[in-house]
């Protein structure tokens, strides 16, 4: 789940950041001329104006999604790399964990493909997989709570918890940053679960920055 908490700036912030180099400033957004300028900036790869507006999200996801989510930061360049993140830590939190259960189980992809997934498994196999997962969750939960009850430090007791455990973090990034993330994570080759999360972010960014978000998708998107 992704929930937008705060927004700094708007579409007008983008155009004013671009126009300041010519000592110009708009007090209000002029839809025709400012939309044209935003399209030009996106089309020509002028990223710095898109780095000034910011958005903060509260994101809740299982560990395996959270760790994959972070990888889009590798190779960030100027204009993209404006972000901050603070995540809940089980060094300090020791309440009972919650675990992710998929709504569908998918088959391994055909051929020599090393990542991704194929078609959904049969209903019977879906039930088998859910049963196996629930047993694993129960065992991990019991082991974790037992270690805590025995006085083990939370930072070590957490080692028995699986990747399906939910974590939560607050992430702040620039408009350019969020578009790059969504462009990567909404790609057809992205894992289904992370794709769903990116779609939630994109829908809320579209509401906060309608002109800029549309221009970025129109002019510099792989999806």
């Amino acid at each position: 789940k992704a929930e937008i908490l705060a927004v700094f700036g708007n579409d007008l912030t983008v155009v004013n950041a671009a126009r300041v180099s010519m000592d110009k400033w708009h007090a209000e957004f002029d839809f025709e001329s400012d939309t044209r300028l935003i399209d030009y900036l996106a089309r020509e790869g002028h990223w710095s104006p898109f780095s000034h507006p910011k958005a903060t999200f509260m994101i809740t996801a299982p560990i395996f999604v959270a760790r994959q989510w972070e990888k889009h930061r590798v190779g960030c360049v100027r204009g993209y790399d404006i972000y901050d993140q603070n995540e809940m830590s089980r060094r300090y939190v020791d309440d009972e964990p919650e675990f992710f259960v998929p709504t569908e189980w998918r088959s391994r992809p055909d051929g020599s493909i090393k990542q991704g997934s194929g078609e959904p498994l049969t209903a019977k196999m879906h039930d088998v997989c859910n049963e196996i997962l629930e047993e694993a969750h129960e065992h991990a939960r019991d082991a974790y709570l037992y270690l805590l009850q025995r006085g083990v430090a939370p930072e070590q007791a957490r080692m028995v918890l699986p990747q399906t455990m939910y974590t939560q973090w607050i992430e702040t990034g620039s408009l350019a940053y969020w578009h790059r993330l969504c462009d990567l994570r909404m790609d057809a080759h992205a894992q289904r679960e992370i794709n769903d999360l990116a779609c939630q972010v994109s829908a809320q960014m579209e509401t906060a920055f309608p002109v800029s978000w549309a221009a970025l998708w129109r002019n510099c998107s792989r999806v």
Side-chain angles (χ1 to χ4, degrees), residues 5 20 22 38 66 73 78 83 97 116 118 128 165 176 181 188 194 207:
L5 300 180
V20 73
M22 299 182 182
I38 288 174
R73 297 174 185 162
R78 184 174 176 80
Y83 64 86
V128 170
M165 181 188 70
L181 183 151
I194 207 167
T207 299

Side-chain angles (χ1 to χ4, degrees), residues 2-149:
E3 178 185 0
I4 199 165
L5 300 180
V7 173
F8 169 80
N10 49 34
D11 291 319
L12 184 59
T13 307
V14 176
V15 294
N16 279 335
R19 285 198 167 100
V20 73
S21 61
M22 299 182 182
D23 196 25
K24 294 183 178 181
W25 184 266
H26 278 193
E28 295 182 359
F29 191 84
D30 182 287
F31 189 82
E32 183 176 349
S33 65
D34 288 344
T35 297
R36 189 164 55 247
L37 174 56
I38 288 174
D39 258 324
Y40 170 80
L41 295 171
R43 185 174 62 251
E44 299 301 321
H46 296 297
W47 294 110
S48 58
F50 296 103
S51 71
H52 292 279
K54 307 289 192 302
T56 299
F57 281 85
M58 171 75 80
I59 302 177
T60 304
I63 292 287
F64 72 91
V65 172
R67 297 301 166 256
Q68 185 67 26
W69 184 264
E70 294 173 359
K71 290 187 176 181
H72 64 268
R73 297 174 185 162
V74 176
C76 281
V77 297
R78 184 174 176 80
Y80 288 134
D81 56 350
I82 301 175
Y83 64 86
D84 290 289
Q85 179 184 18
N86 293 93
E87 184 177 356
M88 180 185 74
S89 174
R90 285 214 167 252
R91 291 191 67 194
Y92 316 115
V93 176
D94 62 358
D95 57 358
E96 186 168 332
E98 295 184 44
F99 302 111
F100 169 79
V101 177
T103 56
E104 71 172 13
W105 290 86
R106 301 182 295 273
S107 63
R108 188 169 185 168
D110 294 331
S112 59
I113 299 175
K114 302 298 183 182
Q115 64 176 10
S117 54
E119 296 300 315
L121 297 174
T122 64
K124 180 178 180 180
M125 194 62 200
H126 174 88
D127 292 341
V128 170
C129 292
N130 270 352
E131 184 177 344
I132 292 172
L133 184 63
E134 181 53 41
E135 289 177 359
H137 286 167
E138 184 176 352
H139 181 73
R141 183 187 295 110
D142 289 348
Y144 177 67
L145 296 176
Y146 177 81
L147 291 173
L148 292 175
Q149 291 165 3

Side-chain angles (χ1 to χ4, degrees), residues 161-191:
L161 294 172
Q163 291 191 49
T164 50
M165 181 188 70
Y166 276 106
T167 187
Q168 190 174 67
W169 69 96
I170 291 178
E171 188 165 347
T172 300
S174 70
L175 176 57
Y177 168 82
W178 286 117
H179 176 260
R180 182 176 188 272
L181 183 151
C182 289
D183 193 28
L184 291 172
R185 298 309 178 202
M186 290 170 65
D187 186 271
H189 298 94
Q191 184 167 341

